[in-house]
Amino acid sequence: VEKQLVYLPFPVSVVSRHQITSKPMRNKLNLLMISFHFPPIASSSGFLRCLKFAEYLDKETLNVSVLTATQNAYEQVDDGNHQLLEKRDYSLHRALALDASRQLSIRGKYFGFLTWPDKWSSWIQFGLLKSLYLALRKKVDVIWITFPIPSAFVIGLVLAKITRKPLILDLRDPIGQHQ
């Protein structure tokens, strides 16, 4: 069997298509990107990395889908960032995420277990269900996560274990900053 190499513009330089899927080769690989930070968030510039990857990845070789959190999870939203999503050539999906300190608190108090591994831990359940649905529906070949938000890592890791698909980790910042 002849192995064909696919060059991905990720920190990982070369991935063999045979390692990614044992099914008959399709023209394009299906990539699922999981990122908490995505427009219209205004509190972080980290969204630009995932946004630009999704925009500039080679669409002749990749079908890109992005899974992110619902807008209510973000403390600050910039309505001007909505224009960044108008001319997209990738599919965008959102899963419910609640900020424990704002949306699950009573008079500013909340249970500590609601913030493990971070204050958006509710995103894990909903994100995992949505990502599993997307992985099956879109026949995902590769899962790519960007974080320092640990919930994104948990979603991607569990999804990769369930689907037995390769997982690409994009570590932007040290994880300890967000504890």
Side-chain angles (χ1 to χ4, degrees), residues 31-51:
L31 172 69
L32 176 60
M33 302 176 77
I34 301 172
S35 176
F36 179 82
H37 296 108
F38 210 76
I41 193 171
S43 62
S44 169
S45 62
F47 75 88
L48 289 172
R49 183 172 176 86
C50 185
L51 176 68

Side-chain angles (χ1 to χ4, degrees), residues 58-87:
D58 184 10
K59 300 305 185 294
E60 291 183 21
T61 58
L62 293 169
N63 289 317
V64 179
S65 300
V66 176
L67 175 66
T68 189
T70 50
Q71 296 177 29
N72 64 319
Y74 305 137
E75 291 180 37
Q76 298 173 0
V77 174
D78 182 358
D79 291 330
N81 284 345
H82 281 290
Q83 68 185 1
L84 297 172
L85 301 175
E86 289 176 359
K87 296 180 182 177

Side-chain angles (χ1 to χ4, degrees), residues 4-129:
Q4 293 184 357
L5 296 179
V6 177
Y7 293 89
L8 298 175
F10 296 111
V12 177
S13 59
V14 179
V15 178
S16 165
R17 272 188 116 152
H18 185 32
Q19 292 172 335
I20 293 174
T21 179
S22 58
K23 296 179 273 190
M25 287 209 232
R26 298 183 298 267
N27 292 337
K28 294 184 178 186
L29 290 176
N30 295 315
L31 172 69
L32 176 60
M33 302 176 77
I34 301 172
S35 176
F36 179 82
H37 296 108
F38 210 76
I41 193 171
S43 62
S44 169
S45 62
F47 75 88
L48 289 172
R49 183 172 176 86
C50 185
L51 176 68
K52 295 306 176 187
F53 264 118
E55 285 180 1
Y56 296 121
L57 286 173
D58 184 10
K59 300 305 185 294
E60 291 183 21
T61 58
L62 293 169
N63 289 317
V64 179
S65 300
V66 176
L67 175 66
T68 189
T70 50
Q71 296 177 29
N72 64 319
Y74 305 137
E75 291 180 37
Q76 298 173 0
V77 174
D78 182 358
D79 291 330
N81 284 345
H82 281 290
Q83 68 185 1
L84 297 172
L85 301 175
E86 289 176 359
K87 296 180 182 177
R88 66 176 190 263
D89 57 353
Y90 54 87
S91 61
L92 178 61
H93 309 273
R94 295 189 183 271
L96 179 64
L98 301 172
D99 181 338
S101 65
R102 291 183 303 119
Q103 295 155 325
L104 299 176
S105 65
I106 299 172
R107 294 185 184 147
K109 304 224 184 261
Y110 51 90
F111 293 106
F113 71 87
L114 294 174
T115 61
W116 189 93
D118 54 51
K119 64 182 186 174
W120 300 281
S121 62
S122 63
W123 188 43
I124 294 172
Q125 298 85 4
F126 298 107
L128 190 55
L129 289 172

